[in-house]
Amino acid sequence: MRAGETAAALKSSQVTGIESYAEDLRIAERIAAGERTLFKELYDRNIHLLYNLARRLAGSSAEADDIVQETFIRAYQKIHLFAGRSSLSSWIYRICVNIGLEYLRKKKGTFEDLNDSNCGATEPDQKKMILRRKLDKAIQLLPEGCRAVFILHEIEGFNHKEIAEQLKLAEGTSKSQLFKARAMLRRILTGQEV
């Protein structure tokens, strides 16, 4: 298959609905059969989204790189298991969420305190950067369930139904976890006991 045909196949898989899932299943079957250029196209189409998700889950670029690398390794190794019940992008995204959650379970309790004095920043843009870092560090303190729901809802823009499907939990649990995450972040960021 030529590169143009590969790109056309992937582009056609972006159509919404059942027919796109069937096309994604055909693409997965071709990748499983050894069409590496097609997997490269899939990689190129998803790398930025997955990196941003992994960065938010992990808290550092190096760790996000590891999560994304492991995501694509697992996706390639398990592409033959793709059943076509969702898009390939959703399937790979779910793999990334799972690997990110595995990482969080292993990393638990490695928070580094960050405040104005150890950053030395005073300019308005630097203060925004400090606040962003404080928020990122506060998000890292959340329990893994709350963190995953908070990131998927507030940062990635998923609704509770989509989050429930991604994380395999009840929609009400997603709402509850988000409520808890917001309350915990409020307490963390205002210096109250968590």
Side-chain angles (χ1 to χ4, degrees), residues 5-27 38 40-47 49 82 86-90:
E5 293 171 348
T6 301
L10 279 171
K11 188 172 259 186
S12 71
S13 75
Q14 293 175 354
V15 178
T16 58
I18 300 300
E19 63 278 353
S20 70
Y21 296 163
E23 181 61 26
D24 278 358
L25 182 59
R26 285 189 290 278
I27 290 169
L38 199 52
K40 171 74 168 100
E41 294 281 338
L42 186 65
Y43 172 90
D44 291 341
R45 194 173 84 198
N46 290 282
I47 184 67
L49 176 72
F82 177 73
S86 65
S87 70
L88 264 172
S89 292
S90 294

Side-chain angles (χ1 to χ4, degrees), residues 38-173:
L38 199 52
F39 189 76
K40 171 74 168 100
E41 294 281 338
L42 186 65
Y43 172 90
D44 291 341
R45 194 173 84 198
N46 290 282
I47 184 67
H48 297 295
L49 176 72
L50 297 180
Y51 178 80
N52 289 334
L53 170 65
R55 175 73 174 86
R56 289 183 181 109
L57 286 170
S60 82
S61 297
E63 294 160 335
D65 288 340
D66 291 344
I67 291 169
V68 171
Q69 180 180 10
E70 182 63 25
T71 297
F72 281 107
I73 289 170
R74 285 195 198 170
Y76 190 77
Q77 290 172 338
K78 297 181 183 272
I79 195 79
H80 65 282
L81 299 175
F82 177 73
R85 291 187 298 262
S86 65
S87 70
L88 264 172
S89 292
S90 294
W91 182 74
I92 291 173
Y93 192 92
R94 178 69 190 144
I95 292 171
C96 188
V97 168
N98 286 340
I99 292 170
L101 291 175
E102 287 173 18
Y103 170 80
L104 292 176
R105 285 183 206 112
K106 291 176 187 173
K107 184 182 175 189
K108 215 171 200 174
T110 59
F111 176 76
E112 174 189 318
D113 190 25
L114 179 66
N115 57 43
D116 289 350
S117 64
N118 64 12
C119 284
T122 57
E123 297 299 316
D125 287 342
Q126 291 173 323
K127 287 190 179 201
K128 286 181 186 176
M129 184 178 69
I130 290 169
L131 290 174
R132 177 62 192 195
R133 286 183 184 167
K134 283 183 178 181
L135 178 59
D136 286 344
K137 292 295 182 179
I139 290 170
Q140 295 302 312
L141 285 175
L142 295 173
E144 65 186 60
C146 290
R147 183 185 321 172
V149 170
F150 182 84
I151 289 169
L152 292 173
H153 188 273
E154 297 297 330
I155 298 172
E156 298 294 326
F158 287 94
N159 64 42
H160 289 291
K161 182 179 180 188
E162 294 167 326
I163 293 168
E165 290 171 5
Q166 284 283 331
L167 300 180
K168 299 192 185 333
L169 48 84
E171 195 172 332
T173 303

